[in-house]
Amino acid sequence: MSSAVVVDGPGRHRLVPHEPAPPGPGEARVRVHAVGICGSDREVYQGNRPEGYVRYPLTPGHEWSGVVEAVGGGVPDGLVGRKVVGEGFRNCQVCERCHAGDTTLCTAGYEETGFTQPGAMATTLVLPARLLHALPDDAELSAAALLEPAACIAAAALKAGARPGERVAVVGTGTLGMLAVQFLAANSPAELLVIGTRDERAALARQFGATDFRLHDEPLPDDIDVVIEAAGSAAAARTAASLLRRGGRLVLTGLPAAGADGLDPTDLVVRQLEVHTVFGAGPDAWAHAVRMFGAGLLDPMPLVTHEVPLERFAEAIEWVGAGDPNVGKVLLRP
């Protein structure tokens, strides 16, 4: 039977029958193959999502992959049957930020699949067809479910602008950190250092292209050209900045708790550091991630440790963020 997860409010959810909706003009209906669970989904379930960034009741799910099974008016019929992933931000397309390509900063207000709009923890998902990115016919759809976090890291990689032969580093060894290693490795760095808190991630980091792995409390260099921070804590941001040479480039992707002590502005100015931040992923970052995936330069599948039916949502959401080293990326299969 077709089904969907509905979170009615913090700590309250139901598994309900799901009736596939017909796509309207400009829309496509996707049969969901897999949907990932990330920390923000856990925030939705626990009620920790900032006000304005969630709307209950809600079907979560913003990391997903699937196959187009129907399209509405104005959408090419050739899209039916294609393997796809899709952007989450429902941008207005007409404001100044959207026209500049900064669709995640749309001034019309925040709307995102899986947070304020129905998400992919259901048998099917209807969304604007303009948000879809088609995949190669032979794409592994379970791996493709991780292209949403990969797109966020692609945005960081594009802002970092790492050039071949530079010394680069990643702070953080979760899903985002391990994806960042792969993006930076594709640019042929002279050195690729990964900083983590658990040494059991060292082998995977090296598998993805790292040349060195160190724990955060070990002696660290201070002459790195480019650093991507992907750990989501103020301490990680400070560690990332400390790795850089004078004039180095830093991209922050994590979201520490509000009000956390941050970087020292005097240090930033004196060392003339170039600091960028990333909130979500725009179309250019999505396209970059899909190209990397299609070219075989991005392999998210080793990050997946569990694939379970949608009916095990409550169990799976508890695994995420519980600190179990045996739990990596968890996928639900509607």
Side-chain angles (χ1 to χ4, degrees):
M1 181 183 70
S2 295
S3 56
V5 171
V6 174
V7 177
D8 291 309
R12 296 181 289 116
H13 81 281
R14 295 172 288 138
L15 194 69
V16 302
H18 173 74
E19 183 67 33
E27 293 182 331
R29 186 175 73 228
V30 176
R31 180 158 293 273
V32 178
H33 173 83
V35 53
I37 301 177
C38 86
S40 55
D41 295 309
R42 187 176 171 89
E43 289 177 352
V44 167
Y45 189 61
Q46 293 181 330
N48 299 326
R49 186 82 171 161
E51 185 178 356
Y53 289 87
V54 64
R55 188 181 302 136
Y56 302 105
L58 173 71
T59 293
H62 61 287
E63 303 178 1
W64 58 269
S65 63
V67 177
V68 177
E69 65 175 21
V71 295
V75 180
D77 291 335
L79 198 58
V80 175
R82 293 297 305 271
K83 295 178 178 180
V84 293
V85 290
E87 299 174 32
F89 284 85
R90 306 290 186 95
N91 55 293
C92 75
Q93 303 183 81
V94 296
C95 72
E96 183 179 1
R97 288 297 89 215
C98 284
H99 279 303
D102 297 326
T103 55
T104 62
L105 303 179
C106 176
T107 59
Y110 171 79
E111 295 287 346
E112 187 176 3
T113 298
F115 296 107
T116 64
Q117 297 290 330
M121 291 186 188
T123 308
T124 67
L125 171 67
V126 174
L127 74 167
R130 62 183 173 81
L131 299 178
L132 296 178
H133 290 260
L135 302 173
D137 292 340
D138 62 351
E140 165 51 59
L141 281 175
S142 290
L146 275 71
L147 284 177
E148 192 278 340
C152 296
I153 288 300
L158 290 172
K159 288 194 174 186
R163 296 180 285 271
E166 287 193 308
R167 302 180 67 214
V168 301
V170 174
V171 177
T173 58
T175 297
L176 292 178
M178 292 293 95
L179 292 170
V181 174
Q182 296 188 60
F183 275 97
L184 290 177
N187 287 326
S188 302
E191 177 184 342
L192 174 45
L193 170 65
V194 176
I195 310 295
T197 58
R198 301 179 355 221
D199 56 10
E200 62 264 25
R201 299 293 269 183
L204 188 57
R206 290 191 168 91
Q207 176 184 329
F208 287 153
T211 59
D212 191 9
F213 181 95
R214 301 189 198 180
L215 297 176
H216 67 101
D217 54 359
E218 293 182 319
L220 301 175
D222 61 1
D223 56 355
I224 301 295
D225 297 300
V226 175
V227 179
I228 292 179
E229 177 276 320
S233 72
R238 290 191 292 270
T239 296
S242 73
L243 296 171
L244 288 164
R245 62 166 171 81
R246 291 171 65 89
R249 307 189 298 282
L250 170 63
V251 184
L252 304 174
T253 71
L255 282 173
D261 291 335
L263 304 178
D264 180 356
T266 301
D267 178 58
L268 300 181
V269 173
V270 169
R271 293 200 290 139
Q272 199 169 308
L273 300 183
E274 189 177 317
V275 180
H276 298 272
T277 60
V278 166
F279 177 60
D284 58 339
W286 271 94
H288 184 41
V290 170
R291 283 194 301 268
M292 285 271 292
F293 181 67
L297 297 173
L298 178 66
D299 180 16
M301 202 59 200
L303 299 171
V304 177
T305 58
H306 296 73
E307 293 187 63
V308 299
L310 196 65
E311 290 75 14
R312 295 178 67 182
F313 166 80
E315 183 181 1
I317 204 78
E318 290 302 320
W319 294 339
V320 177
D324 185 342
N326 297 313
V327 176
K329 196 66 183 180
V330 176
L331 300 182
L332 297 177
R333 297 289 300 273

